[in-house]
Amino acid sequence: MRLVWLAAISVLAVVMAVFTPYVFRTESTWQAIAWLVMLVGTVTFIAVLIRAELLIRRLGRQPNSDASET
């Protein structure tokens, strides 16, 4: 279930990246800066979610691997 949300947010980041040149051409400087901040924040949030997912999976595997070795 977590990967579904990660995929949805990743699609949002890709759509934002595609529209970035249009925003830079048509919007004011402050709006373009706000758009860029939102894009960077979205990409950073995705990186944090991926890292958390990897840590959760690693913690989930540790007890199972110890039990199989005994």
Side-chain angles (χ1 to χ4, degrees), residues 34-67:
W35 179 268
L36 193 58
V37 167
M38 287 190 303
L39 179 61
V40 169
T42 303
V43 171
T44 303
F45 183 64
I46 291 169
V48 168
L49 285 179
I50 290 172
R51 181 65 180 150
E53 179 74 23
L54 292 174
L55 287 173
I56 289 169
R57 285 185 181 192
R58 185 172 6 149
L59 289 173
R61 279 187 292 193
Q62 283 178 350
N64 294 338
S65 64
D66 291 342

Side-chain angles (χ1 to χ4, degrees), residues 23-41:
V23 170
F24 284 162
R25 281 193 315 265
T26 59
E27 301 296 335
S28 69
T29 302
W30 290 110
Q31 289 174 334
I33 290 170
W35 179 268
L36 193 58
V37 167
M38 287 190 303
L39 179 61
V40 169

